């Protein structure tokens, strides 16, 4: 049924995000210098901005740009 597929997909999404958070925490905790932590943060922030632009462009092409406010 569609609810089972959606629930399974949601479960694996949460599981993947949880593993990502654990490994991100390890990466930050194992950095020997605070400069490296800031570089890691900057890289993640750039990826975040790229995803934001992608989602915005997707909604403008296939949806309504005004619904993103």
């Amino acid at each position: 049924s569609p609810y089972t597929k959606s629930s399974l997909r949601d479960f694996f999404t949460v599981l993947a995000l949880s593993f990502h958070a654990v490994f991100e925490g390890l990466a930050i905790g194992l950095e020997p210098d605070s400069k490296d932590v800031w570089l890691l943060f900057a890289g993640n922030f750039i990826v975040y901005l790229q995803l934001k632009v992608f989602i915005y462009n997707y909604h403008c092409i296939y949806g309504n740009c005004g619904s993103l406010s």
Side-chain angles (χ1 to χ4, degrees):
S1 83
Y3 296 115
T4 304
K5 289 181 183 178
S6 177
S7 297
L8 195 59
R9 182 177 56 229
D10 292 344
F11 170 75
F12 281 118
T13 300
V14 170
L15 186 68
L17 287 172
S18 298
F19 276 116
H20 177 79
V22 167
F23 287 118
E24 191 76 26
L26 284 171
I28 290 173
L30 294 174
E31 288 294 337
D33 190 16
S34 64
K35 181 187 77 147
D36 296 331
V37 174
W38 283 108
L39 287 173
L40 190 62
F41 172 75
N44 285 338
F45 187 71
I46 290 170
V47 170
Y48 165 76
L49 290 177
Q50 290 174 338
L51 285 172
K52 268 310 238 192
V53 168
F54 172 77
I55 290 170
Y56 179 77
N57 289 336
Y58 179 82
H59 281 286
C60 286
I61 292 171
Y62 297 108
N64 184 5
C65 288
S67 67
L68 291 175
S69 57

